[in-house]
Amino acid sequence: MRLPPTEVVDQTTSTNDLMATRWRRGEASLYDSVRARYQTHGHGRFGRTWNAPYDTALLYSAIVSTSQTPSRLPLAAGIAVIEALESDGLSLKWPNDVFLHGKKLCGVLAEHIEQQGNTHILVLGIGVNLTACPPGAEKLDRDADVLAERITASLPHLDQLFVRYADYLQSVGKSVRAIKPDGETIHGTATGITEEGALVIDTSAGITTVTAGDVTLKETL
């Protein structure tokens, strides 16, 4: 499948917002993508701000679809990023972060736009630190255009990539602390993920799953 090249814009509020708006106006098609050199209102999960100095990061968004559980897509996108970067020391932190040598390199944010029958349409946002990063994070110098092209090529195959997610998950077999959005804290050993992408944790009270929240390895606390 020949996919359209990634459009480059100098500045926008948010690449996710830009692509979602285009889709709703009928100005975007499946697998259309854009990258910006700068975002004025970039955001991540739970409305957290994503800031990057001008032209120092891949700030990328694309229109994707799935007939599977939509929560699987951002997890699969993390694998697409790892394979596009082609570097040692990369791993996944559940649910949507790519780490390099134990520090955050990339974040992924999928936002649901609409449902057409059994098909979910989402905008998939990816931010990768290339030549600058916040304190405590990591960067990896790569050509932004080449990286965007490689990620775009993987978009039709995200559902297939998902099955390999656990292979890259840094927390499997390790003690973790999970904090859910409602504040509930769970301690236990991460054992894998469900078919929907939820993290499975073996606790003193039994097996439980986490569908949203922040997970930290206990050794890093």
Side-chain angles (χ1 to χ4, degrees):
M1 178 186 297
R2 186 173 180 84
L3 301 180
T6 299
E7 178 187 356
V8 181
V9 298
D10 191 64
Q11 177 176 302
T12 188
T13 53
S14 157
T15 55
N16 262 26
D17 292 348
L18 175 62
M19 292 306 295
T21 297
R22 287 181 177 179
W23 177 268
R24 293 186 178 105
R25 291 176 176 172
E27 299 170 356
S29 301
L30 191 62
Y31 307 131
D32 278 358
S33 59
V34 65
R35 79 169 184 90
R37 294 188 174 92
Y38 185 70
Q39 292 183 132
T40 58
H41 292 85
H43 57 276
R45 289 192 311 145
F46 308 124
R48 293 167 180 161
T49 300
W50 176 283
N51 287 322
Y54 181 85
D55 210 18
T56 63
L58 176 68
L59 307 173
Y60 170 98
S61 293
I63 301 295
V64 296
S65 70
T66 183
S67 58
Q68 306 293 324
T69 304
S71 57
R72 293 160 52 113
L73 281 190
L75 281 68
I79 301 174
V81 171
I82 285 179
E83 296 188 347
L85 288 170
E86 296 182 334
S87 174
D88 294 332
L90 294 167
S91 62
L92 293 168
K93 176 179 179 291
W94 186 91
N96 61 348
D97 291 335
V98 176
F99 272 46
L100 175 63
H101 302 308
K103 296 181 180 180
K104 184 173 178 177
L105 172 70
C106 163
V108 178
L109 176 68
E111 296 178 298
H112 196 275
I113 301 177
E114 66 179 20
Q115 185 170 352
Q116 301 175 350
N118 294 325
T119 301
H120 299 272
I121 306 297
L122 301 92
V123 58
L124 181 67
I126 296 172
V128 185
N129 301 320
L130 300 179
T131 58
C133 62
E138 189 55 278
K139 60 186 177 180
L140 185 60
D141 195 359
R142 291 289 188 272
D143 183 280
D145 290 319
V146 173
L147 186 55
E149 180 182 0
R150 290 176 177 173
I151 293 172
T152 299
S154 72
L155 297 180
H157 314 294
L158 291 178
D159 283 328
Q160 290 86 356
L161 287 177
F162 174 80
V163 300
R164 303 209 305 272
Y165 183 85
D167 296 338
Y168 294 96
L169 188 59
Q170 61 178 217
S171 56
V172 170
K174 297 181 180 179
S175 295
V176 298
R177 180 187 69 183
I179 303 177
K180 294 184 175 182
D182 63 4
E184 180 186 359
T185 300
I186 297 172
H187 298 271
T189 300
T191 61
I193 59 171
T194 67
E195 285 296 314
E196 293 74 34
L199 184 67
V200 181
I201 301 177
D202 187 359
T203 75
S204 58
I207 300 294
T208 188
T209 58
V210 178
T211 58
D214 287 316
V215 175
T216 306
L217 295 178
K218 285 191 175 181
E219 64 190 44
T220 65
L221 295 177

